[in-house]
Amino acid sequence: NFTAQVISNLTQWQAEIKVNQLNLEQLFTQLATFIDLPTDFTVAGNTSLHLTVLTTTQAMTVNLTGTLNRFKYSNSAGTQAGENLAAQLTLQAQQPISTNTNSPPPPWHLQSTLTIQRGEIYSDPIYVEIKYPDPAVQLTTELSWQATTLDIHAFTYTHPNVMILKGLSNIQLA
């Protein structure tokens, strides 16, 4: 189930896409007929997404919400895998519009939250299982990104009753 809509006027445009219960394995099989995808990584499960992009004279704003059901992934080496994952994702991103063509574009500002309600994740040597009635695991980020810099203002990994990991970083990309 897929819907798309674009609305525009003299000062702004907006695009909205909704996808319900997209089979990821079928999607990647179809994509592989057009582009080369990594052969050492597999993905399966269903996703539903709602994407909105709004551009005005001041900024471009992107909002994405999504869910994953029965999601699984693995690499051929067996060092990365996930099984029976159920998760929700929210992402908000904004980039101010610059009229100065002589300066680099302003940075993108992003905030995201990934909440994993259930499933198993293995990243050698770490194994994590999330199951009811245990609380969900949550990853949140707040960052700014430009062509040469990724500035992670806040990163938090919360695994209730186990640990809370917080961090920040400034990464030079070029």
Side-chain angles (χ1 to χ4, degrees):
N1 191 356
F2 173 84
T3 60
Q5 178 179 351
V6 177
I7 301 168
S8 68
N9 61 35
L10 295 175
T11 59
Q12 69 181 34
W13 64 267
Q14 179 175 324
E16 182 176 31
I17 298 172
K18 292 181 183 179
V19 179
N20 291 316
Q21 294 304 311
L22 177 66
N23 182 305
L24 293 171
E25 190 171 16
Q26 290 177 357
L27 172 66
F28 284 101
T29 299
Q30 291 297 316
L31 286 174
T33 63
F34 300 107
I35 58 174
D36 291 330
L37 295 174
T39 57
D40 63 342
F41 198 79
T42 59
V43 174
N46 295 318
T47 187
S48 294
L49 300 170
H50 182 186
L51 173 70
T52 304
V53 179
L54 174 64
T55 299
T56 66
T57 55
Q58 290 83 34
M60 176 182 280
T61 304
V62 177
N63 289 299
L64 174 70
T65 58
T67 60
L68 289 170
N69 292 304
R70 297 185 307 278
F71 181 68
K72 64 181 181 177
Y73 65 91
S74 63
N75 67 1
S76 59
T79 58
Q80 308 286 322
E83 288 286 331
N84 197 32
L85 292 163
Q88 293 178 325
L89 170 71
T90 61
L91 175 104
Q92 297 86 34
Q94 187 173 52
Q95 182 184 39
I97 302 292
S98 174
T99 56
N100 184 353
T101 57
N102 295 326
S103 65
W108 278 94
H109 301 284
L110 292 95
Q111 293 179 316
S112 67
T113 301
L114 175 64
T115 304
I116 304 171
Q117 289 96 1
R118 72 170 184 276
E120 300 171 79
I121 300 170
Y122 175 69
S123 182
D124 191 25
I126 299 169
Y127 172 80
V128 176
E129 182 177 22
I130 303 118
K131 62 182 180 179
Y132 183 81
D134 294 339
V137 169
Q138 193 169 69
L139 293 97
T140 59
T141 58
E142 184 178 328
L143 60 91
S144 299
W145 172 73
Q146 284 184 285
T148 60
T149 306
L150 177 62
D151 195 7
I152 302 171
H153 306 291
F155 169 85
T156 304
Y157 171 85
T158 305
H159 192 153
N161 305 322
V162 177
M163 71 185 283
I164 297 174
L165 176 66
K166 294 183 177 190
L168 54 93
S169 183
N170 180 282
I171 302 168
Q172 298 303 310
L173 303 173

